[in-house]
C-alpha cells in the first residue's frame, strides 16, 4: 500500500531543463515572463536557471538577469538553480532569493566526465565542499543521482551502486536527493524496486524522482513512482527538455500537465492555480516558438 497521502505531493517545475537545450536564444524578458507565470501556479519549487559556464550552456547565460526580473512577493514557490562546480555554488549563494542548489552527480564515470569534465571521486569531493558552503550560507543542496537507472555507455550499473552512493551522500548530511532517469531507460519495475528501498533505508532523507519518458510511456513510470510512495516529482510543461544522450529523440521531461492529470485521478489535492497554469501553458508557445 502506498503512503503518498501521508504528506503533500511536491512538484518541481523545470523551465531551466526545458529551455537549456534550445538552440536559438530565448530573450531574457520572455524567460522572466514565463517563470513569473509559473511562480503564480503554486508549484513547490521552480528549477529556473543555472550558474554554469556560458560556453557549456549558452541559453542560461542570463540567469542572474532573469532572477532580477522575478516577482517573488506573492509566491510560495522556492527557487532552485543548477550548478556544475564549486565556483557556480559561490555565485548562487550570493542570491538570497534562491533556496536550492542543484548538483548533478553521476554514478556513471563516463557521463560524469562528459557532463562536468571530472571524475566521480572528484565530483564527490565537490559535493562535500558545496554542502559545507550551503550550511554556512543557509542554503539547501539537492543532489541529482544522474544515470540512476542505467547508462548507455556500458558502465557498470546495479542497485547496489545506487545504494552505495546514496549512503555516502546521506553520511555527508545531504538531505535532498533526486534519483534521475537521465536517458529515459527506467522501467516501472526498477522504479518500484529502487525508490521504496532508498526511502526505507534512509528515512530522514527526502527523495524525489526526475524521470524522462517518451509521450507514450510516461504513465507507467509515474504510476510506479506514485505507488512506491513518491511525493516529490520533477516535470516540465509540455514535456520539453531532457537529455540529448537519450537514444530516442522523443525522450523528454515528464509533461507537467500529464503528471497533474494523473495525480488528479488519484484524488490528490495539489493546491495549484489551474487558471494560471493554463496561462503558462499558452505562453509556453511563445517561449518555445510554437506556431
Amino acid at each position: 500500500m502506498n503512503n503518498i497521502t501521508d504528506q503533500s505531493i511536491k512538484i518541481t517545475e523545470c523551465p531551466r531543463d526545458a529551455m537549456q537545450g534550445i538552440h536559438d536564444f530565448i530573450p531574457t524578458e520572455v524567460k522572466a515572463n514565463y517563470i513569473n507565470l509559473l511562480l503564480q501556479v503554486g508549484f513547490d519549487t521552480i528549477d529556473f536557471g543555472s550558474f554554469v559556464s556560458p560556453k557549456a550552456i549558452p541559453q542560461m547565460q542570463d540567469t542572474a538577469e532573469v532572477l532580477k526580473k522575478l516577482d517573488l512577493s506573492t509566491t510560495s514557490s522556492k527557487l532552485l538553480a543548477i550548478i556544475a562546480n564549486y565556483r557556480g555554488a559561490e555565485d548562487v549563494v550570493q542570491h538570497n532569493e534562491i533556496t536550492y542548489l542543484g548538483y548533478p552527480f553521476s554514478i556513471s564515470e563516463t557521463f560524469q566526465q562528459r557532463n562536468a569534465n571530472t571524475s566521480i571521486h572528484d565530483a564527490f569531493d565537490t559535493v562535500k565542499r558545496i554542502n559545507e558552503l550551503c550550511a554556512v550560507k543557509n542554503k539547501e543542496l539537492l543532489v541529482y543521482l544522474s544515470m540512476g537507472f542505467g547508462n548507455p555507455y556500458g558502465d557498470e550499473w546495479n542497485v547496489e551502486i545506487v545504494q552505495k552512493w546514496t549512503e555516502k551522500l546521506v553520511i555527508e548530511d545531504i538531505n535532498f536527493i533526486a534519483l534521475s532517469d537521465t536517458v529515459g531507460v527506467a522501467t516501472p519495475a526498477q522504479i518500484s524496486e529502487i525508490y521504496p528501498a532508498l526511502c526505507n533505508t534512509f528515512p530522514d532523507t527526502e527523495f524525489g524522482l526526475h524521470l524522462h519518458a517518451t509521450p507514450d510511456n510516461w504513465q507507467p513510470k509515474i504510476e510506479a513512482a506514485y505507488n512506491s510512495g513518491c511525493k516529490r516529482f520533477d516535470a516540465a510543461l509540455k514535456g520539453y527538455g531532457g537529455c540529448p544522450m537519450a537514444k530516442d529523440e522523443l525522450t523528454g521531461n515528464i509533461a507537467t500537465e500529464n503528471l497533474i492529470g494523473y495525480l488528479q485521478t488519484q484524488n490528490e489535492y495539489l493546491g495549484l492555480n489551474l487558471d494560471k497554469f493554463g496561462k503558462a501553458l499558452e505562453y509556453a508557445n511563445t517561449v518555445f516558438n510554437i506556431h
Side-chain angles (χ1 to χ4, degrees):
M1 178 183 238
N2 79 66
N3 61 358
I4 197 163
T5 53
D6 295 345
Q7 290 178 284
S8 60
I9 291 175
K10 299 177 181 178
I11 298 176
T12 296
E13 174 61 32
C14 302
R16 182 275 316 169
D17 200 355
M19 292 187 288
Q20 68 178 8
I22 303 294
H23 180 268
D24 294 333
F25 187 74
I26 301 168
T28 302
E29 196 72 31
V30 172
K31 290 189 181 101
N33 289 342
Y34 185 46
I35 296 169
N36 275 324
L37 280 172
L38 296 172
L39 285 166
Q40 297 176 57
V41 175
F43 296 111
D44 180 80
T45 301
I46 305 290
D47 172 1
F48 84 102
S50 60
F51 287 77
V52 299
S53 165
K55 291 182 179 179
I57 312 288
Q59 187 66 254
M60 293 290 106
Q61 62 186 283
D62 60 345
T63 291
E65 287 70 36
V66 169
L67 180 60
K68 293 175 184 177
K69 296 178 180 294
L70 298 185
D71 180 4
L72 303 172
S73 62
T74 60
T75 185
S76 60
S77 298
K78 297 175 281 290
L79 293 180
L80 180 152
I82 296 295
I83 55 173
N85 50 39
Y86 189 79
R87 180 179 176 182
E90 289 180 310
D91 290 339
V92 173
V93 298
Q94 304 305 315
H95 300 281
N96 293 331
E97 306 92 333
I98 299 174
T99 299
Y100 294 110
L101 283 70
Y103 182 84
F105 174 77
S106 176
I107 60 175
S108 156
E109 182 70 45
T110 303
F111 187 64
Q112 187 64 60
Q113 290 283 358
R114 291 189 179 195
N115 198 41
N117 196 31
T118 187
S119 67
I120 291 180
H121 175 78
D122 289 344
F124 189 72
D125 285 342
T126 299
V127 167
K128 293 191 285 187
R129 293 179 62 211
I130 293 172
N131 202 39
E132 290 168 359
L133 178 64
C134 286
V136 172
K137 297 294 186 178
N138 196 30
K139 302 292 187 187
E140 293 285 358
L141 176 59
L142 186 153
V143 174
Y144 296 88
L145 275 183
S146 299
M147 299 291 173
F149 292 92
N151 62 81
Y153 310 116
D155 293 345
E156 184 180 6
W157 179 92
N158 53 54
V159 175
E160 288 71 29
I161 291 173
V162 177
Q163 292 174 326
K164 178 190 77 171
W165 284 110
T166 301
E167 182 177 20
K168 287 178 176 288
L169 292 169
V170 170
I171 289 172
E172 295 300 327
D173 293 324
I174 305 297
N175 298 315
F176 300 93
I177 297 174
L179 191 59
S180 300
D181 181 18
T182 313
V183 289
V185 298
T187 65
Q190 282 181 312
I191 294 168
S192 299
E193 177 186 8
I194 298 171
Y195 188 85
L198 292 180
C199 293
N200 291 334
T201 305
F202 309 103
D204 296 326
T205 303
E206 183 170 315
F207 289 97
L209 281 170
H210 185 102
L211 299 173
H212 290 159
T214 59
D216 62 351
N217 75 359
W218 66 270
Q219 185 163 333
K221 297 185 183 189
I222 291 299
E223 191 168 40
Y226 179 82
N227 289 328
S228 296
C230 183
K231 294 179 279 289
R232 188 177 188 123
F233 295 89
D234 288 8
L237 266 68
K238 302 195 175 186
Y240 286 112
C243 181
M245 275 71 74
K247 293 180 180 179
D248 189 333
E249 63 180 17
L250 294 177
T251 299
N253 285 297
I254 299 295
T256 312
E257 56 272 26
N258 290 341
L259 174 64
I260 290 173
Y262 175 80
L263 294 172
Q264 287 175 327
T265 68
Q266 305 304 309
N267 298 315
E268 290 289 348
Y269 174 74
L270 302 177
L272 302 178
N273 185 326
L274 296 181
D275 178 58
K276 296 294 185 183
F277 181 71
K279 291 180 179 179
L281 264 176
E282 184 177 348
Y283 194 75
N285 294 332
T286 299
V287 177
F288 300 103
N289 195 27
I290 301 170
H291 300 292

